[in-house]
């Protein structure tokens, strides 16, 4: 029985849409779910998220950025995730620690050993049971993300990462794919280039197998 499921991917990969399909699907099968996100899964986390994603914060120090993601995670694990898992609810988390490895580790090039050690020491190395990686060409993902932002479908005040160069997003994607190779039991790589229904079908098939 899988209890902790995360969804990862670059900007515009469609994970927030797909995670909602997953919740509806699991609940129809009688599985109680807790849909949550990082950063911003708690009230305090939403304030941390605003700092992290504000495009005006161009001079946010990379180490400060890392520690803010960890602060958000500390609050989120203690206030939401641990309680939900203890109550035997399935946690569906829109991003988690793999995002830290991909963005702060691979793309910002902070020390990977420090990142993994912090996760071990602070969070007992808690990892999801299954991670769906929605894989997509960054040029396609970013174009989708900007279309949504420009169309008012997403927060225009949260574009600090969308404004990074394409090379940054390529590093994030490669980082995620490396992680998926290293932890191939946990990761399910989904081709996110197709339409919403086709991507959902790939995810649904895996959920049927594993839930
Ligand atoms: P979202 O828009 O998918 O909610 O993600 C917010 C941004 O935060 C996204 O650009 C990825 C980034 N992020 C990190 O850089 N490190 C992390 O640990 C997490 C959870 C997200």
């Amino acid at each position: 029985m899988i209890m902790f499921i995360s969804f990862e991917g670059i900007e515009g990969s469609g994970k927030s849409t797909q995670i909602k399909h997953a919740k509806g699907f699991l609940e129809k099968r009688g599985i109680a779910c807790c849909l949550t996100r990082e950063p911003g899964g708690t009230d305090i986390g939403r304030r941390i998220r605003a700092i992290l994603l504000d495009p005006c914060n161009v001079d946010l120090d990379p180490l400060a950025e890392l520690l803010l993601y960890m602060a958000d995670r500390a609050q989120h694990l203690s206030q939401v995730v641990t309680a939900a898992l203890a109550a035997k609810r399935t946690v569906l988390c829109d991003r988690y620690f793999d995002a830290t490895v991909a963005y702060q580790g691979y793309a910002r090039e902070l020390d990977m050993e420090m990142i993994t050690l912090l996760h071990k020491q602070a969070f007992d190395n808690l990892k999801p049971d299954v991670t769906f990686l929605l894989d997509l060409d960054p040029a396609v993902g970013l174009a989708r993300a900007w279309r949504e932002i420009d169309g008012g479908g997403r927060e225009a005040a949260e574009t600090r990462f969308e404004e990074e160069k394409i090379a940054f997003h390529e590093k994030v994607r490669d980082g995620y794919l490396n992680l998926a190779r290293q932890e191939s039991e946990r990761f399910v790589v989904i081709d996110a280039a197709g339409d919403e229904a086709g991507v959902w079908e790939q995810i649904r098939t895996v959920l049927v197998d594993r839930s």
Side-chain angles (χ1 to χ4, degrees):
M1 178 80 172
I2 47 174
M3 293 300 293
F4 185 7
I5 307 174
S6 64
F7 282 68
E8 300 280 357
I10 57 156
E11 275 51 51
S13 58
K15 63 189 169 39
S16 306
T17 306
Q18 297 297 337
I19 203 169
K20 288 186 197 129
H21 286 310
K23 179 174 189 274
F25 173 78
L26 291 173
E27 286 184 340
K28 264 200 203 132
R29 292 166 73 102
I31 297 168
C33 292
C34 166
L35 174 56
T36 187
R37 76 187 321 193
E38 288 192 3
T42 62
D43 285 344
I44 289 169
R46 279 182 275 284
R47 298 169 77 170
I48 298 173
R49 179 180 174 96
I51 298 171
L52 282 164
L53 303 188
D54 184 345
C56 296
N57 288 338
V58 278
D59 53 359
L60 183 61
D61 177 80
L63 182 58
E65 178 182 287
L66 168 70
L67 296 174
L68 283 169
Y69 278 110
M70 294 215 39
D72 169 74
R73 187 158 303 133
Q75 191 68 30
H76 186 225
L77 287 178
S78 74
Q79 216 180 317
V80 177
V81 177
T82 310
L85 292 174
K88 302 261 183 292
R89 294 170 75 201
T90 292
V91 172
L92 293 166
C93 197
D94 189 339
R95 296 195 189 278
Y96 181 63
F97 174 61
D98 299 304
T100 311
V101 176
Y103 283 79
Q104 282 66 53
Y106 282 98
R108 291 269 189 251
E109 300 182 9
L110 288 177
D111 185 65
M112 204 63 93
E113 246 177 72
M114 171 179 67
I115 293 174
T116 49
L117 191 65
L118 280 169
H119 190 66
K120 281 194 184 121
Q121 298 285 2
F123 307 126
D124 204 18
N125 210 28
L126 179 71
K127 301 260 183 91
D129 301 310
V130 177
T131 296
F132 287 102
L133 171 58
L134 274 60
D135 179 55
L136 185 65
D137 178 346
V140 177
L142 278 179
R144 272 192 198 167
W146 278 112
R147 260 200 312 278
E148 276 178 37
I149 293 162
D150 294 340
R154 273 186 46 203
E155 276 282 353
E158 293 195 341
T159 55
R160 197 168 65 90
F161 283 90
E162 281 80 358
E163 292 188 21
E164 290 285 347
K165 294 192 175 60
I166 197 85
F168 178 89
H169 297 280
E170 299 278 5
K171 286 190 211 164
V172 173
R173 182 196 198 185
D174 292 346
Y176 272 134
L177 289 171
N178 271 339
L179 276 171
R181 275 190 289 273
Q182 284 161 20
E183 292 186 60
S184 56
E185 300 266 283
R186 173 163 69 88
F187 273 87
V188 179
V189 181
I190 300 288
D191 177 0
D195 64 6
E196 187 180 326
V199 174
W200 166 238
E201 189 49 33
Q202 295 176 61
I203 296 170
R204 198 187 65 84
T205 307
V206 177
L207 288 176
V208 168
D209 276 1
R210 302 208 189 179
S211 67

